[in-house]
Amino acid sequence: MAKPDAVVRAEATEYRLPTVVVPSRYDIRLEPDLDAATFAGEETIAVTVHELVTEIVLNAAELVISSAAIEGSDGAAIDAQVALDEPAERARLAFPSPIAPGDWRLRLRFTGALNDRLHGFYRSTYRDSAGAAHTIAATQFESTDARRGFPCWDEPAFKAVFGVTLVVPDGLAAVSNTAIASETAAGPGRRAVAFADSIRMSTYLVAFVVGDLEATDPVMVGKTPVRVWCVPGKRALARVALDIGAFALDFFERFYGLPYPGDKLDMLAIPDFAAGAMENLGAVTFRETALLVDEAAASHTEIERVADVVAHELAHMWFGDLVTMAWWNGIWLNEAFATFMELLAVDAWKPDWNRWTTFGVSRAAAMGVDGLVHTRPIEFEVRAPRDCEAMFDLLTYEKGASVLRMLEQHLGADEFRDGVRLYLDRHRFANAETTDLWKALGDAARQPIPEVMDGWIFHPGYPLVSVEPEGNGLRLSQQRFTYIAEGGPAPGRWRIPVIVRAWVKRGIVQKHLLLDDAGLIVPLPAPADWVVVNAGGHGFYRVRYAPALLKKLVGVLGRLAPIERFNLVSDCFALTQSGAMAAVDYLDFTGRSTDETDRNVWTALLGSFAFVNRVIAPEQRPGLEALVRHRLAAAVERVGWEVQPGESELERQLRADLLRALGTLGNDAATQDRARAVYARHRAGEPMDANLLPAVIAIIGASGGDAEYAEFFERFKSARTPQDEQRYLYALAGFRSPELLKQTLAHTIDGEVRSQDAPFLMRTLLASVYARALAWEFLQEHWQTMARQYPGSAYRRMYEGVTALVSPDWERDVRSFFTSQGITLGGKTLEQYLEQLHVAVLFQQREGAALAAFLGRIKR
Ligand SMILES: [Zn+2]
């Protein structure tokens, strides 16, 4: 047996296991007791000992190991003394005599608790339609929680084959990574379900799910049966997931040029789930909203979410599961690539969704974080595995995917795909590093990749490209974009693939350029009527046009693609937030977009209005509401309330977005009245467009009272679909009466809201200008309860809400709160939230007076 390369290289450290003993196979038998919330297990691990040892060290956490012994080929067993090191999450097995190099079998018996923290081997509960409570046992092992399910070498480079047996009560389903090989009786009322051997894979991809679950009929994709599992009664909500799942599996087999590496594909909806979904090979787990959806009653956004997440997880079956990062610093590539492939697959599935255009919104969100001084490079050194938790953020997923998209456009789609195929083929069933992908892409495209990519991957931030007229042509230069200038503009350090499109002498001129530190002169045959830089919109950079060029461009917005208009709005607002453009000039500029038809451009515009809303004083709010009504009037007039024949899904979703903004941010009384009337008809059973309902619920929340609150709460508790549940839940944060908001706040910790959702509800409350003061008080009082109840990752993300507490006093309070309570959020997360808040406070101080004057003049 050969040791994996990465294991050979890795030195044992306080964070890395020694590599003198390496596992190759686990036979695991687990018996969960759902009522007692415990489990008992035994395992045999085939290991190769490379040097004489008297001790074997592996990972275990919150487990009790009752016995451990090692057995050689002669069958004689040597018992070990077990010492658990809980802080290090390790078990040390000490042997009375040295273990010689060679192949051995390690036998362990252990017990553990099915925890309620949504990691490791944990329990999830739900009530059936009759109100009876049921428990499901499920796993979430990434990044380092397989050690809570069974003692193991819990590092991604220790790949092994897994043979799993689950002993479960008759009548309960048991699912693991592979197909069921056999089922045998295991005492009265119980059976042992043995699963086929897995491929060689990492511990974080192992999964066990046991509970009262039902599956759809399989959809066959080649030889692979694809099924969706859910709690009883929800199978009808699996259609979208099965459709995109089957499409994506086939799409990826073709794209990657390799068959699906599993023997079946189950996708399971778990009622309590901390992340969005988890790519366990062959047994992908999801939160319900990311897998189950009623096509007929869901909005475009809700359906797109299911498609995105399913495609993302299936992309991982190859990229992540078959070929795995050697260590956690490679998480970014795993996630960035899956995000990139998710978009490619969904775009191929539904071209009319314009998925790459919508991705502009996600890219801009990543730029929001990456424009901070406290950003980080995409890839950084991860010593303690826990440090990689900070990698599950916008910079990994969205910036990472953006940069890969930029590279794909630069190399050509075919060359990019060939490089990916080469990479997977070279490293399948093994581990790889980022440089291995660059090598394969470089080999396929016959050009050096690191030269172009290193700046994007190993440096924090991104460039601002300035565009000035120069003779007949243009002069381009770069510097780092930041919202807060720290000692003058940072130098540029990127090789930027730039596409320029210009209208010159009544014709289009398009140029592909590589902009480096030195800047670039772009000659044109004659002065351009207009010019757009970052043409096509894929570049991960912002553009600042000289005033004369910007003036020409806003005169021809119709000549730009939607993604280019989106980027223009997004860049102008970012420049406004950084102080390079005056806020009133920006608000004037938004007056040029009143006939905008693209949903994403509206998302950018509405996002900027919402930011201004958080910054201004309450007495200026009517002025902003009037501005919003003015900016939206023509678009709303055009789309109306009724679905028109032949409309696309995106047009329907746009209508909902516009009306929602008009009824909430615009506080438009007529829209609020109409929403109530529409909702009353909906309750009476009249059909309505599924896109509109979530908007109507949000509008009523913003203008509703006690009766509406009681109704929404009841609807939240009795929701038939995960989407319905979410709409009514989040509407509870949108009410404006302090008494009602206090009720919603109480529900964040009283058990009425699942711990997977409560932190996000709290974040929404903090972000509401009507709820934030109350929410902030509540948070300071109850954060310890929240820290105890919420899953760790979601608990940390809740604090993003503090970025909306825009005033110097609040900012001071927020800073002293985190300091005095000693709260850290891992990585640079807290510093980023604090800087975002500071950017908003600076904006308020810089622009407050001008905004007050400007908004005061707006006709109400
Ligand atoms: Zn992922």
Side-chain angles (χ1 to χ4, degrees), residues 142 277 279 312-313 316 334-335 338-339 392 397:
E142 194 179 17
E279 67 266 26
H312 178 102
E313 301 310 322
H316 274 311
N334 194 29
E335 293 304 347
T339 304
F392 291 92
Y397 288 77

Side-chain angles (χ1 to χ4, degrees), residues 789-812:
Q789 288 183 0
Y790 299 170
S793 53
Y795 168 74
R796 289 190 290 275
R797 289 172 66 188
M798 166 184 79
Y799 285 111
E800 188 186 358
V802 303
T803 61
L805 297 168
V806 189
S807 81
D809 288 351
W810 266 333
E811 186 186 6
R812 204 186 46 240

Side-chain angles (χ1 to χ4, degrees), residues 610-626:
F611 177 88
V612 173
N613 192 34
R614 288 194 290 274
V615 166
I616 57 176
E619 58 272 21
Q620 289 149 21
R621 191 148 294 129
L624 181 67
E625 288 167 354

Side-chain angles (χ1 to χ4, degrees), residues 19 50 63 82 132 186 252 258 318 409 438 492 506 607 639 651 731:
T19 55
H50 290 280
L63 294 176
V82 182
F252 292 139
L258 281 173
W318 289 259
Q409 298 285 304
W438 296 164
R506 303 186 172 198
V639 298
E651 285 166 315

Side-chain angles (χ1 to χ4, degrees), residues 15 59-61 88-89 119-120 140-150 152-156 203-205 278 327-328 331 382-389 392:
Y15 302 117
N59 293 116
E89 303 184 344
H119 67 186
Q140 169 61 39
F141 286 165
E142 194 179 17
S143 302
T144 56
D145 292 316
R147 64 191 67 174
R148 291 173 208 282
F150 56 98
C152 57
W153 275 259
D154 200 10
E155 294 176 10
T203 47
Y204 80 92
L205 297 167
M278 177 62 213
W327 183 246
W328 299 112
I331 273 284
V382 172
R383 291 184 63 240
R386 287 279 157 214
D387 294 349
C388 84
E389 294 297 324
F392 291 92

